[in-house]
Amino acid sequence: MQIVDQGNFDEVVLRADKPVLVDFWAQWCPPCHQIVPVLEQIAAERADRMSIVKLNADENPEIPARYRVMAMPTLMLFHRGELIWSVVGARPKAWLLKNLDDALVAAAV
């Protein structure tokens, strides 16, 4: 998964050709570390439909503030520069896949 920061967020996420799921995480957050293998699997399985990137919220506070991220992990799905779906907290892979797929269909991606 690609790492994004305040310097490249707009280019990598908001101007992307396909949807991008952003994992807002922090080093001190155990669930943030637990969800990494799940996100890596989804990134591999859905590489044709979306990208997944990670943003360290503590090191890049302006972006989480912009999107009112209040807890970690927060996952936000962006498409064509717009936030189209989000969830707070670690979730099982099957739940994430269903909800991501539903959001992509709803956005007509």
Side-chain angles (χ1 to χ4, degrees), residues 8 23 27-28 31 45 51 66 76 79 87 92 101 104 107-109:
N8 66 359
D23 173 20
Q27 188 64 40
W28 50 262
E45 293 171 11
S51 299
R66 183 191 311 175
M76 292 187 166
H79 180 56
V87 65
D101 288 344
L104 293 170
V109 174

Side-chain angles (χ1 to χ4, degrees), residues 1 31-43 93:
M1 284 185 292
C32 296
H33 296 285
Q34 293 169 344
I35 199 170
V36 169
V38 171
L39 293 177
E40 288 174 344
Q41 290 172 8
I42 293 171
K93 180 181 175 184

